[in-house]
Amino acid sequence: MRVEEKLYTLRYKRDEEPHLRIINPQQCLECEREYGQPQPCISVCPANVYSWNGEKLILSYENCVECGACRIACPFHNISWNYPRYGLGMSLRYG
Ligand code: SF4
Ligand code: SF4
């Protein structure tokens, strides 16, 4: 089963309060200069939460599957990440 197909088995309850954010957006510009595109957070995220618009990182935090990979992959520790509030975020549809 492809990752995209597995993502369809998940259910999301949107938390209005983003559970992840970029600490210093300026750092992402430096990251792009140093690592090129796609930047590490974009490369590792299985849910396409991150995208680059040429100037800054765009976050679609509602799609996050809470794997934690971006936190580990960011070489500048520039991602503030918490689990969504209780009962919100991702859940397994058949779990
Ligand atoms: Fe920004 Fe970190 Fe992503 Fe680089 S890896 S673009 S510093 S969040
Ligand atoms: Fe993507 Fe996983 Fe980071 Fe969520 S925790 S933004 S799914 S890499």
Side-chain angles (χ1 to χ4, degrees):
M1 190 186 265
R2 294 183 313 149
V3 171
E4 290 79 8
E5 290 168 334
K6 286 189 176 179
L7 290 174
Y8 283 123
T9 66
L10 303 176
R11 193 161 43 106
Y12 300 90
K13 275 192 194 164
R14 187 173 192 270
D15 189 348
E16 297 298 325
E17 207 174 285
H19 67 288
L20 53 89
R21 68 178 180 84
I22 301 303
I23 297 166
N24 177 8
Q26 190 65 31
Q27 184 70 70
C28 297
L29 278 169
E30 289 173 31
C31 180
E32 195 239 354
R33 280 195 285 271
E34 193 169 331
Y35 289 87
Q37 292 179 36
Q39 294 90 323
C41 58
I42 297 173
S43 295
V44 300
C45 179
N48 296 322
V49 168
Y50 300 97
S51 58
W52 183 250
N53 76 356
E55 293 176 354
K56 64 178 182 178
L57 211 54
I58 308 293
L59 270 67
S60 306
Y61 71 92
E62 305 91 339
N63 299 336
C64 177
V65 296
E66 300 165 29
C67 69
C70 55
R71 250 193 328 185
I72 297 166
C74 177
F76 301 100
H77 308 289
N78 196 24
I79 298 171
S80 166
W81 198 102
N82 294 293
Y83 281 107
R85 290 176 296 168
Y86 182 75
L88 300 172
M90 183 208 77
S91 60
L92 298 172
R93 195 180 291 173
Y94 304 114

XYZ file of all heavy atoms in Angstrom:
797
model
N 0.849 -1.202 0.000
C 0.000 0.000 0.000
C 0.884 1.250 0.000
O 1.843 1.321 0.753
C -0.903 -0.027 1.242
C -1.986 1.029 1.223
S -2.918 1.102 2.773
C -4.314 0.076 2.389
N 0.591 2.209 -0.857
C 1.386 3.424 -0.921
C 1.081 4.330 0.278
O 0.014 4.223 0.884
C 1.078 4.173 -2.209
C 1.519 3.414 -3.470
C 1.258 4.227 -4.713
N -0.066 4.797 -4.706
C -0.386 5.949 -5.288
N 0.528 6.640 -5.902
N -1.608 6.407 -5.256
N 2.034 5.213 0.595
C 1.854 6.116 1.731
C 0.570 6.928 1.557
O -0.216 7.103 2.495
C 3.066 7.066 1.870
C 2.795 8.142 2.910
C 4.316 6.289 2.236
N 0.324 7.401 0.336
C -0.868 8.223 0.081
C -2.144 7.437 0.396
O -3.099 7.986 0.941
C -0.909 8.682 -1.379
C 0.139 9.715 -1.749
C 1.521 9.093 -1.984
O 1.617 7.850 -1.998
O 2.480 9.866 -2.128
N -2.127 6.137 0.084
C -3.312 5.312 0.360
C -3.480 5.104 1.866
O -4.590 5.120 2.383
C -3.180 3.955 -0.352
C -3.303 4.075 -1.869
C -2.894 2.808 -2.595
O -2.089 2.027 -2.058
O -3.382 2.617 -3.706
N -2.338 4.928 2.551
C -2.418 4.750 4.004
C -2.964 6.008 4.682
O -3.677 5.933 5.679
C -1.035 4.423 4.572
C -0.600 3.010 4.256
C 0.657 2.643 4.992
C 0.995 1.190 4.705
N 2.196 0.750 5.355
N -2.616 7.169 4.126
C -3.083 8.419 4.730
C -4.609 8.524 4.679
O -5.219 9.167 5.518
C -2.447 9.625 4.029
C -0.945 9.805 4.274
C -0.398 10.941 3.424
C -0.639 10.056 5.733
N -5.223 7.860 3.704
C -6.687 7.898 3.610
C -7.354 7.119 4.736
O -8.550 7.243 4.957
C -7.148 7.344 2.253
C -6.963 8.321 1.136
C -6.195 7.989 0.028
C -7.560 9.578 1.183
C -6.012 8.892 -1.004
C -7.384 10.490 0.152
C -6.611 10.133 -0.935
O -6.422 11.035 -1.943
N -6.584 6.266 5.444
C -7.175 5.499 6.542
C -7.158 6.298 7.848
O -7.590 5.808 8.879
C -6.427 4.166 6.753
O -5.091 4.453 7.195
C -6.375 3.344 5.478
N -6.649 7.517 7.799
C -6.581 8.346 9.003
C -7.755 9.320 9.052
O -8.330 9.672 8.034
C -5.268 9.126 9.036
C -3.984 8.294 8.962
C -2.770 9.195 8.907
C -3.895 7.347 10.143
N -8.065 9.743 10.265
C -9.128 10.724 10.439
C -8.524 11.921 11.193
O -7.690 11.741 12.074
C -10.243 10.098 11.283
C -11.529 10.862 11.291
C -12.666 9.965 11.743
N -12.298 9.143 12.881
C -12.720 9.338 14.126
N -13.536 10.322 14.395
N -12.340 8.550 15.103
N -8.936 13.099 10.828
C -8.360 14.290 11.443
C -9.461 15.124 12.087
O -10.529 15.297 11.504
C -7.666 15.168 10.400
C -6.545 14.489 9.668
C -6.786 13.800 8.492
C -5.248 14.532 10.146
C -5.763 13.166 7.806
C -4.219 13.899 9.474
C -4.485 13.222 8.300
O -3.469 12.603 7.629
N -9.159 15.614 13.280
C -10.028 16.627 13.873
C -9.179 17.873 14.011
O -8.193 17.879 14.763
C -10.516 16.184 15.261
C -11.739 15.322 15.215
C -12.310 15.185 16.598
C -13.324 14.061 16.617
N -13.633 13.643 17.978
N -9.540 18.876 13.287
C -8.699 20.057 13.199
C -8.631 20.797 14.541
O -9.657 21.080 15.154
C -9.276 20.996 12.141
C -8.425 22.185 11.826
C -9.030 22.943 10.654
N -8.114 23.920 10.138
C -8.059 25.168 10.575
N -8.877 25.579 11.506
N -7.181 26.001 10.059
N -7.409 21.054 14.973
C -7.192 21.903 16.139
C -6.991 23.316 15.616
O -6.102 23.549 14.800
C -5.949 21.419 16.899
C -5.791 22.103 18.238
O -6.492 23.099 18.484
O -4.955 21.636 19.039
N -7.812 24.235 16.045
C -7.696 25.616 15.550
C -6.349 26.233 15.922
O -5.873 27.154 15.279
C -8.819 26.491 16.123
C -10.219 26.059 15.713
C -10.435 26.126 14.205
O -9.880 27.032 13.580
O -11.139 25.248 13.671
N -5.778 25.699 16.977
C -4.480 26.204 17.442
C -3.399 25.319 16.837
O -3.339 24.126 17.155
C -4.449 26.079 18.963
C -3.564 27.050 19.654
C -3.752 26.916 21.161
O -4.785 27.386 21.659
O -2.885 26.309 21.799
N -2.548 25.858 15.945
C -1.512 25.010 15.328
C -0.621 24.352 16.380
O -0.185 25.000 17.322
C -0.703 25.999 14.486
C -1.615 27.147 14.249
C -2.497 27.242 15.470
N -0.381 23.057 16.224
C 0.461 22.351 17.191
C 1.927 22.387 16.788
O 2.778 21.896 17.511
C -0.011 20.897 17.358
C 0.168 20.058 16.145
N -0.614 20.204 15.031
C 1.057 19.074 15.858
C -0.220 19.339 14.111
N 0.787 18.646 14.585
N 2.210 22.934 15.581
C 3.610 23.122 15.214
C 3.780 24.501 14.585
O 2.849 25.031 13.965
C 4.105 22.007 14.297
C 3.350 21.664 13.026
C 3.851 22.494 11.861
C 3.526 20.194 12.734
N 4.947 25.059 14.792
C 5.233 26.370 14.210
C 6.726 26.514 13.995
O 7.534 25.819 14.618
C 4.696 27.506 15.077
C 5.401 27.661 16.375
C 4.890 28.824 17.206
N 5.633 28.888 18.457
C 6.811 29.488 18.593
N 7.344 30.124 17.577
N 7.456 29.463 19.738
N 7.066 27.427 13.101
C 8.466 27.719 12.827
C 8.918 28.776 13.826
O 8.292 29.827 13.964
C 8.633 28.236 11.379
C 8.135 27.185 10.385
C 10.088 28.592 11.095
C 8.795 25.832 10.492
N 9.990 28.491 14.512
C 10.467 29.410 15.553
C 11.023 30.678 14.922
O 10.673 31.789 15.314
C 11.538 28.711 16.423
C 10.900 27.516 17.142
C 12.150 29.689 17.415
C 11.894 26.549 17.751
N 11.884 30.533 13.919
C 12.520 31.688 13.280
C 12.444 31.538 11.754
O 13.270 30.833 11.162
C 13.975 31.799 13.748
C 14.707 32.941 13.063
O 14.104 33.744 12.345
N 16.013 33.009 13.271
N 11.470 32.162 11.100
C 11.314 32.022 9.647
C 12.566 32.427 8.871
O 12.857 31.876 7.807
C 10.141 32.961 9.320
C 9.389 33.074 10.599
C 10.415 32.995 11.686
N 13.328 33.380 9.393
C 14.555 33.813 8.719
C 15.550 32.669 8.589
O 16.272 32.553 7.602
C 15.169 34.981 9.529
C 16.302 35.688 8.839
C 15.851 36.396 7.562
O 14.716 36.843 7.466
N 16.739 36.474 6.576
N 15.533 31.794 9.582
C 16.437 30.642 9.565
C 16.147 29.724 8.379
O 17.049 29.086 7.828
C 16.296 29.862 10.879
C 17.244 28.708 11.039
C 18.673 29.166 11.248
O 19.003 29.709 12.292
N 19.514 28.965 10.250
N 14.879 29.677 7.962
C 14.501 28.820 6.833
C 15.108 29.329 5.529
O 15.420 28.540 4.644
C 12.980 28.727 6.720
S 12.225 27.963 8.156
N 15.268 30.628 5.408
C 15.935 31.190 4.226
C 17.391 30.748 4.183
O 17.909 30.355 3.142
C 15.866 32.722 4.254
C 14.570 33.348 3.747
C 14.556 34.834 4.088
C 14.413 33.135 2.252
N 18.032 30.801 5.337
C 19.430 30.353 5.412
C 19.522 28.856 5.141
O 20.451 28.379 4.498
C 20.007 30.686 6.788
C 20.222 32.167 6.974
C 20.631 32.522 8.383
O 21.295 31.705 9.041
O 20.261 33.630 8.826
N 18.549 28.124 5.619
C 18.500 26.680 5.395
C 18.384 26.388 3.904
O 19.044 25.487 3.384
C 17.304 26.112 6.161
S 17.078 24.340 6.017
N 17.556 27.152 3.225
C 17.378 26.940 1.788
C 18.679 27.209 1.038
O 19.035 26.500 0.110
C 16.261 27.843 1.268
C 15.766 27.431 -0.109
C 15.913 28.510 -1.135
O 16.300 29.633 -0.772
O 15.655 28.226 -2.317
N 19.400 28.247 1.476
C 20.688 28.563 0.835
C 21.699 27.441 1.076
O 22.463 27.073 0.196
C 21.233 29.888 1.362
C 20.584 31.100 0.689
C 21.361 32.364 0.947
N 21.164 32.865 2.302
C 20.184 33.699 2.643
N 19.330 34.123 1.741
N 20.048 34.107 3.876
N 21.650 26.883 2.292
C 22.647 25.875 2.658
C 22.297 24.481 2.117
O 23.156 23.756 1.628
C 22.777 25.823 4.177
C 23.977 25.048 4.644
C 24.243 25.238 6.121
O 23.911 26.299 6.672
O 24.791 24.286 6.725
N 21.034 24.113 2.197
C 20.635 22.738 1.837
C 19.932 22.650 0.494
O 19.714 21.558 -0.015
C 19.723 22.151 2.927
C 20.462 21.845 4.196
C 20.636 22.828 5.174
C 21.014 20.594 4.427
C 21.331 22.572 6.347
C 21.709 20.321 5.595
C 21.865 21.318 6.550
O 22.562 21.061 7.693
N 19.542 23.780 -0.069
C 18.814 23.749 -1.327
C 17.384 23.279 -1.127
O 16.906 23.150 0.000
N 16.729 22.986 -2.241
C 15.342 22.517 -2.173
C 15.274 21.056 -2.612
O 15.972 20.693 -3.569
C 14.462 23.370 -3.078
C 14.314 24.785 -2.593
C 13.444 25.607 -3.536
O 12.487 25.099 -4.104
N 13.809 26.852 -3.725
N 14.440 20.251 -2.031
C 13.599 20.590 -0.882
C 14.424 20.595 0.411
O 15.341 19.801 0.571
C 12.556 19.473 -0.863
C 13.266 18.298 -1.480
C 14.221 18.869 -2.497
N 14.033 21.456 1.308
C 14.703 21.518 2.593
C 14.384 20.247 3.388
O 13.421 19.547 3.107
C 14.233 22.750 3.380
C 14.653 24.058 2.739
C 13.610 24.568 1.762
O 12.975 23.805 1.057
N 13.429 25.878 1.717
N 15.197 19.948 4.425
C 15.026 18.693 5.166
C 13.606 18.445 5.680
O 13.101 17.322 5.580
C 16.021 18.836 6.326
C 17.084 19.733 5.777
C 16.392 20.698 4.873
N 12.945 19.461 6.196
C 11.593 19.226 6.738
C 10.642 18.798 5.631
O 9.767 17.942 5.832
C 11.075 20.471 7.457
S 10.999 21.944 6.414
N 10.802 19.380 4.450
C 9.936 19.036 3.318
C 10.234 17.621 2.847
O 9.324 16.840 2.544
C 10.126 20.048 2.166
C 9.701 21.436 2.622
C 9.342 19.628 0.929
C 9.995 22.544 1.616
N 11.511 17.270 2.841
C 11.919 15.938 2.363
C 11.354 14.813 3.224
O 10.930 13.790 2.710
C 13.440 15.801 2.360
O 13.994 16.672 1.450
N 11.375 15.016 4.543
C 11.016 13.890 5.416
C 9.520 13.783 5.706
O 9.044 12.717 6.104
C 11.771 13.930 6.768
C 13.270 13.872 6.544
C 11.378 15.132 7.588
N 8.791 14.853 5.530
C 7.381 14.825 5.939
C 6.555 13.932 4.991
O 6.466 14.214 3.802
C 6.805 16.226 5.981
S 5.066 16.216 6.464
N 5.929 12.881 5.525
C 5.148 11.991 4.666
C 3.784 12.570 4.290
O 3.091 12.018 3.445
C 4.981 10.739 5.538
C 4.999 11.256 6.934
C 5.937 12.433 6.931
N 3.398 13.657 4.941
C 2.039 14.178 4.759
C 2.007 15.524 4.037
O 0.971 16.196 4.031
C 1.358 14.308 6.130
N 3.128 15.910 3.461
C 3.205 17.182 2.719
C 2.731 18.380 3.532
O 2.011 19.245 3.025
C 2.399 17.097 1.419
C 2.977 16.075 0.475
O 4.186 15.938 0.365
N 2.112 15.336 -0.189
N 3.116 18.397 4.792
C 2.732 19.523 5.647
C 3.493 20.795 5.253
O 2.953 21.890 5.308
C 2.984 19.174 7.130
C 2.891 20.405 8.022
C 1.987 18.108 7.578
N 4.729 20.620 4.827
C 5.569 21.781 4.511
C 5.682 21.993 3.007
O 5.793 21.047 2.236
C 6.991 21.562 5.061
C 7.049 21.367 6.546
C 7.100 20.087 7.091
C 7.041 22.459 7.410
C 7.140 19.903 8.463
C 7.083 22.280 8.787
C 7.139 20.997 9.302
O 7.181 20.829 10.662
N 5.658 23.254 2.617
C 5.979 23.585 1.228
C 6.695 24.937 1.230
O 6.604 25.713 2.187
C 4.717 23.619 0.357
O 3.799 24.557 0.865
N 7.413 25.197 0.161
C 8.242 26.395 0.075
C 7.704 27.268 -1.046
O 7.541 26.784 -2.176
C 9.691 25.984 -0.200
C 10.676 27.091 -0.256
C 11.325 27.550 -1.362
C 11.164 27.862 0.847
N 12.182 28.565 -1.017
C 12.105 28.783 0.322
C 10.892 27.883 2.221
C 12.772 29.696 1.136
C 11.564 28.801 3.025
C 12.487 29.684 2.479
N 7.387 28.523 -0.749
C 6.815 29.376 -1.805
C 7.869 30.259 -2.481
O 7.528 31.213 -3.175
C 5.650 30.205 -1.262
C 6.114 31.379 -0.407
O 7.307 31.542 -0.144
N 5.181 32.202 0.029
N 9.122 29.948 -2.224
C 10.208 30.723 -2.813
C 10.778 31.740 -1.843
O 11.897 32.200 -2.002
N 9.985 32.082 -0.822
C 10.435 33.054 0.174
C 10.289 32.551 1.597
O 11.025 32.922 2.484
C 9.627 34.357 0.048
C 9.885 35.087 -1.240
C 9.005 36.305 -1.368
O 8.135 36.514 -0.511
O 9.197 37.043 -2.342
N 9.270 31.744 1.796
C 9.052 31.247 3.160
C 8.373 29.880 3.131
O 7.832 29.455 2.100
C 8.223 32.238 3.979
C 6.827 32.432 3.452
C 6.053 33.384 4.348
C 4.636 33.513 3.827
N 3.806 34.361 4.628
N 8.407 29.254 4.308
C 7.806 27.936 4.462
C 6.313 28.094 4.730
O 5.898 28.926 5.545
C 8.488 27.261 5.656
C 8.662 25.762 5.691
C 9.361 25.252 4.446
C 9.420 25.374 6.938
N 5.499 27.304 4.048
C 4.056 27.297 4.280
C 3.718 26.007 5.018
O 4.184 24.934 4.627
C 3.270 27.328 2.940
C 3.756 28.470 2.044
C 1.780 27.401 3.190
C 3.474 29.847 2.559
N 2.922 26.115 6.060
C 2.574 24.939 6.871
C 1.099 24.599 6.724
O 0.244 25.461 6.930
C 2.843 25.216 8.356
C 4.214 24.869 8.891
C 5.272 25.757 8.292
C 4.218 24.986 10.391
N 0.827 23.338 6.401
C -0.548 22.841 6.427
C -0.638 21.872 7.597
O -0.710 20.662 7.423
C -0.892 22.135 5.119
O -0.640 22.975 4.023
N -0.593 22.440 8.789
C -0.442 21.607 9.986
C -1.609 20.632 10.197
O -1.478 19.619 10.878
C -0.287 22.499 11.225
C -1.557 23.219 11.620
C -2.426 22.653 12.537
C -1.887 24.451 11.077
C -3.592 23.300 12.904
C -3.038 25.095 11.424
C -3.899 24.520 12.339
O -5.060 25.163 12.686
N -2.758 20.919 9.559
C -3.935 20.049 9.746
C -3.688 18.644 9.207
O -4.364 17.701 9.597
C -5.157 20.623 9.022
C -5.512 22.033 9.396
C -4.833 23.065 8.505
O -3.811 22.736 7.877
O -5.323 24.196 8.450
N -2.729 18.503 8.277
C -2.465 17.196 7.666
C -1.467 16.355 8.448
O -1.176 15.222 8.062
C -1.904 17.379 6.246
C -2.864 18.106 5.352
O -4.062 18.102 5.597
N -2.346 18.745 4.318
N -0.924 16.901 9.510
C 0.170 16.235 10.228
C -0.262 14.877 10.785
O -1.321 14.760 11.404
C 0.642 17.150 11.354
S 1.918 16.441 12.383
N 0.568 13.854 10.566
C 0.275 12.521 11.104
C 1.066 12.249 12.390
O 1.121 11.121 12.864
C 0.540 11.414 10.061
C -0.398 11.553 8.888
C 1.990 11.423 9.583
N 1.667 13.288 12.925
C 2.302 13.255 14.248
C 3.424 12.213 14.353
O 3.560 11.532 15.358
C 1.229 13.022 15.328
C 0.189 14.127 15.326
C -1.074 13.785 16.092
O -0.995 12.988 17.043
O -2.143 14.313 15.734
N 4.217 12.121 13.301
C 5.320 11.153 13.318
C 6.568 11.723 13.984
O 7.433 10.978 14.432
C 5.645 10.711 11.892
S 6.381 12.009 10.863
N 6.705 13.047 14.012
C 7.846 13.675 14.671
C 9.104 13.770 13.825
O 10.125 14.274 14.292
N 9.061 13.302 12.588
C 10.272 13.259 11.761
C 10.848 14.654 11.482
O 12.069 14.839 11.475
C 9.970 12.557 10.441
N 9.993 15.633 11.273
C 10.487 16.970 10.929
C 11.298 17.575 12.067
O 12.288 18.257 11.843
C 9.329 17.882 10.545
S 8.039 18.001 11.799
N 10.870 17.287 13.276
C 11.587 17.817 14.439
C 13.016 17.305 14.475
O 13.949 18.003 14.816
C 10.880 17.345 15.719
C 10.199 18.429 16.433
C 9.780 18.071 17.810
N 9.415 16.682 18.018
C 8.921 16.233 19.160
N 8.750 17.075 20.151
N 8.608 14.971 19.314
N 13.170 16.051 14.138
C 14.496 15.433 14.151
C 15.312 15.898 12.947
O 16.506 16.135 13.039
C 14.361 13.898 14.143
C 13.649 13.458 15.411
C 15.719 13.219 14.004
C 13.162 12.020 15.379
N 14.647 16.058 11.811
C 15.365 16.360 10.566
C 15.831 17.812 10.470
O 16.823 18.087 9.785
C 14.469 16.039 9.369
N 15.146 18.720 11.117
C 15.536 20.135 10.987
C 16.915 20.351 11.601
O 17.091 20.186 12.810
C 14.523 21.045 11.670
S 15.034 22.781 11.606
N 17.899 20.729 10.781
C 19.260 20.863 11.304
C 19.436 22.052 12.245
O 20.446 22.157 12.933
C 20.114 21.041 10.037
C 19.175 21.442 8.958
C 17.808 21.005 9.344
N 18.449 22.935 12.272
C 18.570 24.147 13.098
C 17.633 24.127 14.313
O 17.469 25.144 14.977
C 18.291 25.379 12.235
C 19.232 25.504 11.074
C 18.853 25.118 9.805
C 20.515 25.990 11.267
C 19.730 25.222 8.733
C 21.402 26.096 10.204
C 21.013 25.704 8.932
N 16.995 22.998 14.548
C 16.034 22.897 15.669
C 15.055 24.072 15.638
O 14.822 24.731 16.651
C 16.771 22.842 17.017
C 17.829 21.785 17.065
N 17.545 20.436 17.099
C 19.183 21.872 17.013
C 18.668 19.743 17.099
N 19.680 20.593 17.039
N 14.521 24.288 14.458
C 13.714 25.496 14.227
C 12.211 25.213 14.237
O 11.429 26.051 13.825
C 14.133 26.094 12.862
C 13.677 27.505 12.698
O 13.447 28.216 13.685
N 13.520 27.943 11.455
N 11.833 24.018 14.658
C 10.406 23.681 14.653
C 9.944 23.473 16.097
O 10.504 22.657 16.829
C 10.140 22.399 13.832
C 10.553 22.634 12.374
C 8.663 22.004 13.914
C 10.534 21.388 11.510
N 8.944 24.238 16.484
C 8.322 24.033 17.790
C 7.144 23.088 17.585
O 6.244 23.370 16.792
C 7.850 25.374 18.344
O 6.991 25.171 19.426
N 7.155 21.963 18.256
C 6.201 20.897 17.971
C 5.607 20.357 19.263
O 6.328 19.991 20.178
C 6.942 19.776 17.238
C 6.108 18.792 16.483
C 5.912 18.757 15.141
C 5.381 17.675 17.021
N 5.098 17.697 14.807
C 4.763 17.019 15.949
C 5.186 17.182 18.315
C 3.960 15.903 16.115
C 4.389 16.062 18.488
C 3.794 15.443 17.385
N 4.302 20.309 19.340
C 3.598 19.679 20.456
C 2.498 18.816 19.879
O 2.059 19.044 18.761
C 2.967 20.738 21.372
C 4.012 21.565 22.066
O 4.753 21.078 22.904
N 4.086 22.825 21.689
N 2.021 17.843 20.642
C 0.857 17.097 20.173
C -0.350 18.029 20.155
O -0.432 18.956 20.967
C 0.576 15.909 21.095
C 1.484 14.728 20.825
C 2.509 14.404 21.703
C 1.314 13.958 19.688
C 3.357 13.339 21.440
C 2.155 12.894 19.402
C 3.173 12.592 20.286
O 4.020 11.549 20.021
N -1.290 17.781 19.236
C -2.530 18.563 19.271
C -3.228 18.362 20.614
O -2.977 17.380 21.317
C -3.358 17.963 18.129
C -2.352 17.332 17.225
C -1.254 16.837 18.123
N -4.095 19.294 20.944
C -4.795 19.181 22.221
C -5.644 17.909 22.270
O -5.995 17.356 21.224
C -5.673 20.423 22.443
C -4.831 21.660 22.704
C -5.667 22.872 22.814
N -6.356 23.160 21.545
C -7.327 24.036 21.427
N -7.723 24.701 22.467
N -7.898 24.233 20.259
N -5.980 17.486 23.482
C -6.638 16.186 23.685
C -7.881 16.017 22.796
O -8.750 16.890 22.756
C -7.043 16.027 25.152
C -7.678 14.693 25.425
C -6.902 13.546 25.501
C -9.051 14.587 25.555
C -7.474 12.309 25.723
C -9.645 13.353 25.773
C -8.846 12.222 25.857
O -9.421 11.013 26.062
N -7.936 14.894 22.101
C -9.095 14.579 21.263
C -9.029 15.181 19.872
O -9.873 14.901 19.032
N -8.020 16.012 19.639
C -7.878 16.652 18.330
C -6.669 16.060 17.609
O -5.896 15.316 18.182
C -7.720 18.164 18.486
C -8.886 18.858 19.177
C -8.549 20.313 19.462
C -10.152 18.755 18.333
N -6.536 16.417 16.354
C -5.418 15.902 15.570
C -5.803 14.603 14.881
O -6.961 14.380 14.520
N -4.813 13.732 14.728
C -5.001 12.522 13.940
C -5.511 11.363 14.790
O -5.150 11.219 15.938
C -3.633 12.147 13.352
C -3.650 10.970 12.449
S -2.050 10.144 12.478
C -2.142 9.283 14.038
N -6.352 10.541 14.210
C -6.702 9.266 14.853
C -6.852 8.212 13.773
O -7.085 8.530 12.602
C -7.983 9.390 15.676
O -9.046 9.776 14.856
N -6.709 6.951 14.180
C -6.815 5.851 13.224
C -8.284 5.516 13.004
O -9.027 5.304 13.962
C -6.062 4.617 13.749
C -4.556 4.830 13.946
C -3.950 3.619 14.640
C -3.862 5.101 12.629
N -8.689 5.495 11.758
C -10.101 5.263 11.464
C -10.536 3.861 11.896
O -11.617 3.642 12.360
C -10.338 5.446 9.972
C -11.793 5.586 9.625
C -11.972 5.771 8.154
N -11.475 7.056 7.708
C -11.392 7.405 6.427
N -11.768 6.581 5.488
N -10.951 8.576 6.077
N -9.608 2.885 11.720
C -9.957 1.515 12.072
C -9.196 1.045 13.297
O -9.057 -0.135 13.524
C -9.669 0.574 10.887
C -10.379 0.993 9.642
C -9.668 1.429 8.535
C -11.768 0.975 9.579
C -10.326 1.845 7.395
C -12.433 1.388 8.443
C -11.708 1.817 7.351
O -12.350 2.224 6.227
N -8.666 1.968 14.083
C -7.863 1.569 15.245
C -8.554 1.859 16.551
O -9.648 2.340 16.604
Fe 13.218 25.770 8.291
Fe 14.138 23.635 9.614
Fe 12.613 23.319 7.488
Fe 15.092 24.207 7.246
S 14.477 22.188 7.950
S 13.290 25.018 6.200
S 15.272 25.490 9.101
S 12.006 24.276 9.448
Fe 5.130 15.932 8.811
Fe 5.551 14.090 10.677
Fe 6.391 16.596 11.036
Fe 3.802 16.034 11.101
S 5.343 15.345 12.557
S 4.737 17.759 10.067
S 3.670 14.443 9.550
S 7.125 15.146 9.507
